Amino acid sequence: MINNISSFKQLEKKIKNNIFSKVFILCDSNTLKYCVPELFNQVPILTSSEIIEVNPGEESKSFEICLNIWTTFLEQTADKKTLLINLGGGVVCDLGAFCASLYKRGIQFVNIPTSMLAMIDAAIGGKNGINLTHFKNSLGTINQATSIIIHDLFLKTLPKIELKNGLVEAYKIALIADKLFWKKLTSNNLSVKQIIKKSISLKLKIVSEDPTEKGLRKILNFGHTIGHALESVFIKNEQKIMHGEAVYMGMIIETHISFQKKLISNIKFQDITKTLLSCLNFTLLKIELQKLKPYLLNDKKNFDHKIQMVLLKDYGKAGFDYAVSLNEIEEAIIYYNNIAIGK
Amino acid sequence: MINNISSFKQLEKKIKNNIFSKVFILCDSNTLKYCVPELFNQVPILTSSEIIEVNPGEESKSFEICLNIWTTFLEQTADKKTLLINLGGGVVCDLGAFCASLYKRGIQFVNIPTSMLAMIDAAIGGKNGINLTHFKNSLGTINQATSIIIHDLFLKTLPKIELKNGLVEAYKIALIADKLFWKKLTSNNLSVKQIIKKSISLKLKIVSEDPTEKGLRKILNFGHTIGHALESVFIKNEQKIMHGEAVYMGMIIETHISFQKKLISNIKFQDITKTLLSCLNFTLLKIELQKLKPYLLNDKKNFDHKIQMVLLKDYGKAGFDYAVSLNEIEEAIIYYNNIAIGK
């Protein structure tokens, strides 16, 4: 079982024991302002480490930014025993893990997720990635972090919308993997701490069974085929979309496709959709299939020239490698757009 | 034991069984002309695959070239079941394996080395890499090829100097790992086929014991601390240096350091140096420590802010993680330059 969840104390101990020749902290301008001081409070020895700052947002997951980071490493003669601490949300964790995994064929890295989304999802499980032009996460590896430190003190620094953004992944993992968790979650019976803890343990269980995503792990992509395509469309847009928002819309559409393929009954489909809409309640953006199409056709899960999706089979149960036609996606988008207009 | 050595027949069978959704062949302009036709003869079904051509030489191991390759993949909607065949020398194998390992978090790849050097070394063992500015192999992963096909028919297409370039790695692996092989090799008792076979089996044995280079595998870097630094110096030079040539010079210098540190006796040091000089007999280029220094300080094996080298302990025996000072390197370079002038 992969379990690389750790603590500030253990990190401090390792650094004091001189395991690392140099320590860098990767952050964005927000986490530099709000989270670095908290981190220094927790692990004072880190005040002497080097800070690398990137702009917040998806556009930092680019090659140009990676080159800047690697050049900084080289200029500072960072060697194989260098540690990179990724302090931030999904973007910082994805980007930092990617840079660490390639530099000199891999240096150690610690993820300290500061957003709900990164705590529940991005920082856990070893996937990293950057975008190629606006094809999301087209490049990456699977490489487990040395350790991951989860602390809810960082959540206080976040706007409320970020909490909801992260909650989407909790809803997703409940829906694909744990009926009871889905019930508790949707009836508002859990604290934020409990939600984070349960979501992480479910994700780690799935990742441990299939770390390199040969099979089972694919179910974590529920909502993400449409979700990633939406994000790709919006990357260069003035109007921004959050990852959680995109996956939320993706889940509604992919639940409809699960129903079209008779994997779930009409009653379950209606109930799941209604629950998602009422519990998460993001504004639904109108979706055009034509704009999504190039990204759907390049989705990482595809094979045999077909779009492959994760679909629901029940509450807490999902299957993967379902070939889905553009017609089926179109039908689901029509259904979705009708709700969007109605809202 | 890692053993991914395969054959054209097995590759053909896999392709005929539709295991892959698309097949790309990466080559340089030389292998396009001389080796692709041979490959098509061996595996006729490959005539329908897509060819990606890069310029020959170390400068193709760059990010710009990777971006071109990945963009081609995206444009052709290459999915996770795509196969990349790397047909070429060390540059093509390193570059192709790197691109395949990152695209959509990893697609399958087959190495078909066409040079002696790549057959014996670069194509074997799962290391890939590209250069960052002129810091050699600063970025990469360790990821085993799906399979490797070794066939000496490609050697006929090569100029003689390329054979000698590859032989250096055979001398290296003999010197660090197999006294008997060293004896046979240096007394000219083996055919090219025998040399390739023995070198590959020695390398696979070492890699299997330590695939991620935590310890033992480091010995494969004998001659490479100086060798890589030399190559880095020459990357942007008009005068080119071959990998084998650089490692050859590196071995002479690092053998002297082994002697300085009293790891080998004066007699053994003299004998090894004399044997290398007489058997391989490359022109020795004059070396300046000042030019090597920035690259030595950024060598991938370094830690604790010290240059770490692999050094000889006997014929067929090497140790790793020896901290070496710039003074020691300078002394060895003075010795080496004296031979260079004398020759």
Side-chain angles (χ1 to χ4, degrees), chain A residues 18 51 110 118 141 161 167 186 314 325:
Chain A
N18 278 322
I51 289 185
V110 170
T141 68
I161 184 75
L167 264 184
T186 54
D314 200 346
S325 70

Side-chain angles (χ1 to χ4, degrees), chain A residues 21 63 67 70 74 77 79-80 102 104-105 127-128 132 138-141 298 300 302-305, chain B residues 21 63 67 70 74 77 79-80 102 104-105 127-128 132 138-141 298 300 302-305:
Chain A
S21 58
F63 249 113
L67 286 174
W70 289 320
L74 280 178
T77 59
D79 65 22
K80 281 278 285 182
L102 296 193
K104 304 206 177 196
R105 297 205 183 92
K127 275 192 186 180
N128 59 53
L132 196 55
S138 290
L139 303 175
T141 68
N298 257 318
K300 282 192 293 301
N302 294 355
F303 58 83
D304 295 343
H305 311 290
Chain B
S21 58
F63 247 113
L67 285 174
W70 289 320
L74 281 177
T77 59
D79 64 22
K80 282 279 284 182
L102 296 193
K104 304 206 176 196
R105 297 204 184 91
K127 275 194 186 177
N128 59 53
L132 197 54
S138 291
L139 303 175
T141 68
N298 257 319
K300 283 193 293 300
N302 294 355
F303 57 84
D304 295 342
H305 311 290

Side-chain angles (χ1 to χ4, degrees), chain B residues 28-71:
Chain B
D28 65 25
S29 40
N30 292 328
T31 56
L32 178 61
K33 190 168 166 189
Y34 299 110
C35 304
V36 167
E38 288 283 9
L39 178 62
F40 287 173
N41 270 344
Q42 298 286 333
V43 191
I45 197 174
L46 284 177
T47 45
S48 60
S49 46
E50 303 279 339
I51 289 184
I52 303 177
E53 182 193 350
V54 297
N55 288 332
E58 195 68 24
E59 285 185 35
S60 283
K61 283 171 63 176
S62 73
F63 247 113
E64 294 72 38
I65 302 295
C66 291
L67 285 174
N68 290 345
I69 294 170
W70 289 320
T71 305

Side-chain angles (χ1 to χ4, degrees), chain A residues 164-178:
Chain A
K164 207 167 84 170
N165 185 34
L167 264 184
V168 175
E169 291 287 354
Y171 276 72
K172 179 207 74 183
I173 206 154
L175 203 42
I176 58 168
D178 194 324

Side-chain angles (χ1 to χ4, degrees), chain B residues 95-222:
Chain B
L95 172 70
F98 181 81
C99 287
S101 300
L102 296 193
Y103 183 69
K104 304 206 176 196
R105 297 204 184 91
I107 57 169
Q108 293 195 53
F109 64 98
V110 171
N111 285 341
I112 308 183
T114 58
S115 71
M116 178 86 166
L117 180 71
M119 287 180 192
I120 287 182
D121 193 39
I124 312 283
K127 275 194 186 177
N128 59 53
I130 61 166
N131 308 322
L132 197 54
T133 63
H134 34 299
F135 288 90
K136 208 177 137 67
N137 293 337
S138 291
L139 303 175
T141 68
I142 297 182
N143 183 26
Q144 302 301 328
T146 306
S147 53
I148 301 162
I149 300 171
I150 307 287
H151 206 303
D152 60 357
L153 69 89
F154 296 115
L155 294 178
K156 293 171 200 145
T157 67
L158 282 176
K160 271 220 164 133
I161 184 75
E162 279 295 341
L163 214 69
K164 207 167 83 170
N165 185 35
L167 264 184
V168 175
E169 292 287 353
Y171 275 72
K172 179 208 74 183
I173 205 153
L175 203 42
I176 58 169
D178 192 324
K179 190 176 174 175
L180 187 64
F181 182 39
W182 170 256
K183 284 216 166 142
K184 284 186 185 168
L185 193 61
T186 55
S187 47
N188 239 327
N189 255 339
L190 299 168
S191 69
V192 169
K193 258 193 172 169
Q194 285 173 316
I195 295 172
I196 294 174
K197 205 175 158 195
K198 185 67 189 171
S199 303
I200 291 176
S201 84
L202 283 171
K203 175 152 184 186
L204 282 176
K205 190 164 166 266
I206 294 168
V207 169
S208 298
E209 280 185 45
D210 174 26
T212 55
E213 198 170 291
K214 296 278 176 277
L216 178 70
R217 184 175 178 164
K218 290 184 189 177
I219 63 167
L220 292 170
N221 294 306
F222 177 63

